[in-house]
Amino acid sequence: MNENPKQENTPDPTPPQEPHKPYSRKARILAWIGVAFMVFLVIMYTYSLASGKIMEI
């Protein structure tokens, strides 16, 4: 006989998933604006630290 009989009444361990819904156009535009702003800040602070302008009083 089979030592591990298949159990018929076991619940499915994964819950049903909703279909994938992409973010709205507005949310994607705001995310890209945030990315561009952060890149601008990194470039600005990198330049000011490298040139020594941030050390001036």
Side-chain angles (χ1 to χ4, degrees):
M1 255 210 201
N2 191 359
E3 293 179 8
N4 292 325
K6 185 177 180 182
Q7 296 177 354
E8 297 295 330
N9 295 332
T10 57
D12 189 14
T14 58
Q17 296 179 352
E18 297 180 6
H20 173 70
K21 182 180 175 186
Y23 286 103
S24 68
R25 183 175 180 90
K26 182 180 177 182
R28 286 182 282 152
I29 289 172
L30 287 175
W32 278 111
I33 290 172
V35 168
F37 183 69
M38 293 307 295
V39 167
F40 170 74
L41 286 178
V42 167
I43 291 171
M44 183 181 69
Y45 277 107
T46 302
Y47 171 75
S48 62
L49 282 172
S51 65
K53 291 186 185 272
I54 205 167
M55 300 295 190
E56 294 176 2
I57 297 176

